[in-house]
Amino acid sequence: HGLAEAGADVVSPSDMMDGRVGMLRKALDREGFTNVSIMSYTAKYASAYYGPFRDALASAPKPGAEHRVIPPNKKTYQMDPANYREALREIRADEFEGADIMMVKPGMPYLDVVRMMRDNSTLPVAVYHVSGEYAMLKAAAERGWLNEEEAVLEAMMSFRRAGADLILTYYSIEAAKWMAGDSMKLKL
């Protein structure tokens, strides 16, 4: 509850451990933070699209001490990209445990899962447009292969069309400026 004490409106446990949402909800409520929302990583897939983020943080799995076994990837606890039905089980578990928002990560390769969540829950659905998705659009735009603004706004629209209520993206500042046009100047 340290984040709630610091003023966070939403907490979002990324580890996806079973029971985590319920444990957080109980702890927040016990400490009087009943208005702090929990955004669950309901469907966090083991994906190649996290590469740029992992490289930037040097968080890619790598060898540790001799006695420590480091898996070659994070597939031991992130969802199998081929397993569509697991997301249905996670929706039910997160709703039961007290999640306020459900998230799909990454976004574009899993628009079908976003739609499935929208169709199977009344909770808000968030989608995380991750670093690899951002990097693909940025690189293609830098090479002149596509119009960055048009491609990004089309990607954001596809998330909404699939059923997302919230979009988390590295393009948030640019997308807000593009959508607002010249009538609004955002400051960092």
Side-chain angles (χ1 to χ4, degrees):
H1 57 80
L3 294 173
E5 287 175 342
D9 293 316
V10 179
V11 295
S12 191
S14 67
D15 64 4
M16 298 182 53
M17 301 306 290
D18 290 343
R20 177 75 71 212
V21 170
M23 184 261 327
L24 277 172
R25 181 77 277 151
K26 287 177 188 165
L28 289 167
D29 291 353
R30 182 179 58 246
E31 297 299 321
F33 296 108
T34 57
N35 291 330
V36 173
S37 296
I38 299 172
M39 179 166 49
S40 175
Y41 280 64
T42 304
K44 183 178 181 183
Y45 287 91
S47 174
Y49 288 92
Y50 305 139
F53 177 79
R54 289 183 179 151
D55 291 346
L57 293 183
S59 72
K62 57 186 171 229
E66 285 183 34
H67 64 281
R68 197 165 159 224
V69 177
I70 305 294
N73 53 51
K74 298 185 180 194
K75 293 179 180 180
T76 56
Y77 65 93
Q78 292 177 348
M79 291 172 56
D80 177 357
N83 191 342
Y84 180 80
R85 292 184 187 139
E86 186 177 6
L88 281 170
R89 289 191 296 274
E90 294 301 326
I91 288 169
R92 300 293 173 247
D94 286 351
E95 286 177 330
F96 177 78
E97 292 179 27
D100 299 291
I101 304 166
M102 295 182 295
M103 185 197 310
V104 177
K105 179 180 180 185
M108 292 188 72
Y110 299 96
L111 292 175
D112 59 328
V113 177
V114 173
R115 171 49 52 197
M116 185 260 302
M117 279 190 183
R118 170 55 38 240
D119 291 344
N120 286 279
S121 179
T122 59
L123 291 178
V125 175
V127 64
Y128 196 143
H129 185 237
V130 300
S131 60
E133 296 169 281
Y134 170 85
M136 287 190 314
L137 290 170
K138 186 60 84 173
E142 287 173 355
R143 286 166 179 76
W145 297 342
L146 52 75
N147 178 295
E148 186 174 21
E149 178 179 346
E150 290 176 4
V152 169
L153 294 179
E154 185 175 338
M156 299 305 115
M157 183 265 307
S158 74
F159 294 138
R160 295 286 294 156
R161 190 181 62 237
D165 299 293
L166 305 162
I167 301 169
L168 292 84
T169 177
Y170 293 93
Y171 269 114
S172 60
I173 301 293
E174 294 96 329
K177 288 179 182 178
W178 292 328
M179 287 187 283
D182 292 336
S183 65
M184 184 171 125
K185 300 293 182 196
L186 298 176
K187 296 181 181 177
L188 296 177

